[in-house]
Amino acid sequence: MSTVEEAKEAVAKLNGTEVGGRSIEVREDKYAGEGGNQGFHGQQGGFVQGTQVFVGNLPYSSRWQDLKDLFRPLGLNPIHADIMMENETGRSKGCGMVRFASREEADKAVQSLNGTNVMGRNIIVRLDKFAA
């Protein structure tokens, strides 16, 4: 997109639509304002470096307790974990968020578990770019 208006239109048009049988979320990139630029809401860009990680490609049967237990053998103690659910069906989206007490713990979680196999699925673990 080349203008703020085009970006706003794309968010309004695409957010919540289905792609491949899954509902997608489209929103302003919180990184858009880094380096002195501003996001289209007029907020100064950048974000507080979070302690939250995104965990994707999880088995659909995963619960928040399973997500916390995934990190404990590494000596990590997640303070919060949540599985994202479809609003309409209550079915897992196959991903979740985990918050740690420190950035160091979050970094260790990413380095240790990204790409590992959980119940036959190679999971994605990365710092959550939308966490504030």
Side-chain angles (χ1 to χ4, degrees):
M1 283 143 263
S2 59
T3 67
V4 170
E5 290 74 26
E6 286 177 354
K8 286 181 181 179
E9 185 178 329
V11 169
K13 184 176 181 179
L14 298 173
N15 189 38
T17 59
E18 278 197 23
V19 175
R22 297 183 97 176
S23 179
I24 64 168
E25 183 174 353
V26 180
R27 61 183 171 193
E28 177 184 2
D29 183 359
K30 286 193 176 184
Y31 288 115
E34 288 187 8
N37 296 327
Q38 293 189 350
F40 64 72
H41 289 293
Q43 301 169 348
Q44 186 62 30
F47 61 97
V48 175
Q49 291 291 329
T51 56
Q52 183 164 292
V53 298
F54 168 85
V55 184
N57 203 32
L58 290 168
Y60 290 110
S61 61
S62 297
R63 300 169 303 147
W64 67 265
Q65 298 94 332
D66 301 323
L67 202 46
K68 280 183 133 178
D69 291 345
L70 182 64
F71 295 94
R72 289 196 171 115
L74 300 171
L76 301 173
N77 188 26
I79 57 177
H80 180 79
D82 198 17
I83 298 289
M84 297 174 134
M85 307 297 275
E86 293 284 350
N87 289 335
E88 295 173 6
T89 64
R91 181 176 178 244
S92 168
K93 290 185 175 182
C95 60
M97 301 291 180
V98 181
R99 185 170 297 272
F100 294 93
S102 70
R103 174 64 188 257
E104 291 75 24
E105 281 189 298
D107 286 339
K108 182 177 178 182
V110 170
Q111 293 168 0
S112 300
L113 289 176
N114 186 42
T116 60
N117 189 292
V118 174
M119 294 175 58
R121 299 179 69 111
N122 291 333
I123 62 170
I124 300 161
V125 182
R126 63 170 165 75
L127 289 175
D128 179 20
K129 61 186 174 185
F130 297 111

